[in-house]
Amino acid sequence: MAGDPALAANPLSHQHIRPTSGEGGALGRTGFAWAVFEWARNPYYVLVVIYIFAPYFARDIIGADLLASGTLDAMEPEAALAAANAQGQATIASVTKWAGIIAALTAPFLGAALDRGGRLKPILVIFLGSIAICSALLWFAMPGGAGLPVPMIMALLVIAYVSFTYSEVTHNAMLSVAGEPRRLAMISGLGLGLGNLAATLIFIAIALLFVLPAMIGWPFAVPQFGVDLASFEHARMVGPICAVWLVLFSIPFFRNARDTGVPGASWIAAFRDGARSVWRTVREAAQYRQLMTFLVARMFYADAMAALLALGAVYVALFLGWNFLEMLCYAIFASACAFCGGIFGGWLEGKVGVKRALALEILAMIVVGLIQLSITRDSLFLGLVENVVVWDGLVFRTLSDLVYLGLISVIAVTATASISSSRSMLVTLAPPGRSGEFFGLYAIAGTITVWMGPLLVEQFTLWSGDQRIGMTSIHLLFVIGLAALLTVRMPDPAA
């Protein structure tokens, strides 16, 4: 893209020469260093935010403490349990809401400053240090008020969530110089793949060292290192594990990744001028019509994807009745498939182009998500196939279990691939030298409508009285996002 009018109006833009492209590919020194950052950081999001700590906090702290308080004693046991679970879910929703609001209001300004300020690695040290400290302190999140009070736990989760978003904006701003432009898709995909592979390895370690020994006495007679599952130490320990993992495996990134910042540049001036640039970008959105259309499209399909992934676990627990071990195996399997998704996304972009790749990935999530909703404990495909017991194993005994597990693999691959493709499309559409600012807007597009998917599910469920119809409403967001995406015109590579 030719000269950018906002940068031309930026008094700092003429003071420093900033790199806008790099050399090498995914396995090059700078490309692999950029990717390995997600190996270090992403396990926090997968283990704490999605699969292990958040459900523990909602069910075994918020819900259990409410039941133990006697407040719900006048209710029937099932109704009391439902009310306690609802309170736990509402608490997690509140954490996400406040973190999303803070990130949405600040991330674009951070991104714009990153395009104008000094070295980015010291800024990342602050963000990652915040995540590591908050994550380590989650060990003290215990039921019954024995550890940290609930408001402090919520505050730690909010701070870590916002810091995670800030680190994502900063890290993404460095993607353009991680390798050659035509290799960025593979670099981005490798990063996502490594992040999910790391989470998979940690999941497997938790299952083998703690959960399986406690349940069946294999591969060890008792949980290792004296871990007490009755005290939920297996759930609480993911915080310290992710903290140590983050600190240890961030070292290769800081040693080898290429930094787009300029030594000695004023951060005060960068934030001031960056704020002006954000407002100027919003006012002059017509000059970036294709990029803004893409961000609007992402706002819808990313919200749909987040709701599908989050509520998909609820669907499994409710309709298929999977136990804790099955849910842990589900997390391991999905994370392993997501590793492949990161690689697949980069490969598909190279074959059909980033826009077509992203459209195919969204379409696959729509189709497979609808098929998932046709599965219950009694039948598959809206009653066309009767559910039967396939084997007498420890987990996933029925045909419904196995088919649903197979569909999860497609969702995990395409969801991860779509994240990689979205980042590549943003880099392709953003003006040279302003990827940080637009990754800030990109972060807004992923957080500003986080309420939309759950709201649709709630309203459609109340209207229809059917939870599956409620879940189906998520796909309206997918369709809107896909339709908007198809109108985006990509730049001519030869221009």
Side-chain angles (χ1 to χ4, degrees):
M1 185 176 294
D4 180 73
L7 275 184
N10 174 12
L12 292 181
S13 64
H14 303 292
Q15 297 178 12
H16 305 292
I17 298 176
R18 292 175 177 274
T20 58
S21 64
E23 298 177 351
L27 298 182
R29 184 176 66 87
T30 58
F32 188 78
W34 187 94
V36 83
F37 180 88
E38 301 206 69
W39 163 279
R41 184 196 58 177
N42 286 13
Y44 170 83
Y45 191 87
V46 176
L47 274 74
V48 174
V49 177
I50 299 179
Y51 288 117
I52 295 184
F53 186 84
Y56 156 69
F57 181 50
R59 179 184 61 245
D60 300 310
I61 294 183
I62 301 298
D65 287 356
L66 182 59
L67 289 171
S69 69
T71 304
L72 306 178
D73 286 352
M75 303 173 64
E76 294 293 327
E78 290 187 4
L81 180 60
N85 289 339
Q87 184 60 45
Q89 180 174 312
T91 302
I92 293 296
S94 179
V95 168
T96 306
K97 175 190 70 178
W98 285 111
I101 289 174
I102 295 170
L105 293 176
T106 57
F109 300 99
L110 170 65
L114 296 176
D115 289 330
R116 294 157 172 80
R119 307 299 285 177
L120 272 58
K121 289 181 181 179
I123 301 296
L124 271 176
V125 169
I126 296 174
F127 299 149
L128 297 187
S130 173
I131 298 171
I133 292 172
C134 292
S135 184
L137 290 174
L138 295 179
W139 169 258
F140 301 102
M142 307 176 191
L148 298 174
V150 167
M152 184 173 293
I153 300 172
M154 294 175 65
L156 290 173
L157 292 174
V158 168
I159 294 170
Y161 195 111
V162 173
S163 299
F164 190 94
T165 301
Y166 288 170
S167 71
E168 182 177 18
V169 172
T170 310
H171 180 235
N172 285 343
M174 301 169 69
L175 175 60
S176 62
V177 299
E180 299 174 20
R182 63 188 180 91
R183 306 280 185 87
L184 295 183
M186 285 303 299
I187 293 172
S188 175
L190 177 63
L192 289 168
L194 289 176
N196 284 284
L197 177 61
T200 302
L201 295 178
I202 298 174
F203 278 131
I204 292 174
I206 291 174
L208 293 178
L209 294 175
F210 312 121
V211 179
L212 287 175
M215 294 184 66
I216 60 174
W218 182 90
F220 304 101
V222 295
Q224 298 299 288
F225 309 115
V227 169
D228 181 11
L229 271 66
S231 300
F232 303 102
E233 290 183 354
H234 61 302
R236 292 159 42 206
M237 75 187 314
V238 300
I241 288 174
C242 291
V244 173
W245 189 277
L246 174 60
V247 172
L248 179 63
F249 289 109
S250 292
I251 296 174
F253 167 81
F254 285 106
R255 286 176 60 89
N256 298 314
R258 192 177 181 191
D259 196 327
T260 59
V262 176
S266 170
W267 278 108
I268 295 176
F271 273 99
R272 183 177 61 246
D273 190 74
R276 294 195 190 104
S277 181
V278 170
W279 293 120
R280 187 163 50 243
T281 299
V282 173
R283 292 195 305 268
E284 300 172 358
Q287 297 184 30
Y288 315 102
R289 183 171 300 172
Q290 304 310 315
L291 197 153
M292 291 300 180
T293 301
F294 164 64
L295 291 179
V296 170
R298 181 181 182 272
M299 182 174 67
F300 285 100
Y301 73 72
D303 185 40
M305 183 175 67
L308 178 63
L309 294 176
L311 298 177
V314 176
Y315 179 85
V316 169
L318 180 63
F319 284 96
L320 302 185
W322 288 2
N323 59 34
F324 180 84
L325 181 58
E326 286 173 320
M327 292 300 292
L328 184 61
C329 293
Y330 159 38
I332 293 171
F333 181 68
S335 297
C337 291
F339 164 74
C340 300
I343 307 301
F344 172 77
W347 172 84
L348 186 61
E349 289 170 42
K351 292 294 183 180
V352 302
V354 62
K355 177 183 170 181
R356 290 191 182 94
L358 183 54
L360 289 173
E361 290 150 6
I362 295 172
L363 182 61
M365 285 188 282
I366 294 174
V367 173
V368 175
L370 291 174
I371 295 175
Q372 282 182 319
L373 296 178
S374 73
I375 299 175
T376 70
R377 297 188 196 185
D378 301 319
S379 66
L380 299 85
F381 314 128
L382 298 177
L384 294 178
V385 178
E386 183 179 356
N387 191 26
V388 295
V389 176
V390 176
W391 72 309
D392 189 26
L394 189 62
V395 293
F396 309 128
R397 299 182 181 91
T398 70
L399 182 62
S400 288
D401 293 338
L402 295 174
V403 172
Y404 195 93
L405 195 65
L407 294 173
I408 285 171
S409 68
V410 181
I411 291 290
V413 167
T414 53
T416 307
S418 74
I419 297 173
S420 175
S421 298
S422 296
R423 293 196 302 204
S424 297
M425 193 160 178
L426 189 283
V427 171
T428 303
L429 292 171
R434 298 181 66 196
S435 59
E437 175 181 342
F438 280 99
F439 267 118
L441 295 176
Y442 179 89
I444 273 196
T447 58
I448 199 170
T449 58
V450 291
W451 48 269
M452 193 180 299
L455 177 64
L456 281 176
V457 173
E458 177 190 20
Q459 293 303 314
F460 272 72
T461 302
L462 292 175
W463 166 71
S464 65
D466 189 311
Q467 288 178 308
R468 283 188 290 178
I469 292 179
M471 285 287 290
T472 303
S473 66
I474 292 174
H475 294 81
L476 292 175
L477 299 178
F478 272 128
V479 171
I480 294 172
L482 178 59
L485 175 68
L486 294 176
T487 67
V488 176
R489 295 195 304 272
M490 301 298 290
D492 184 355

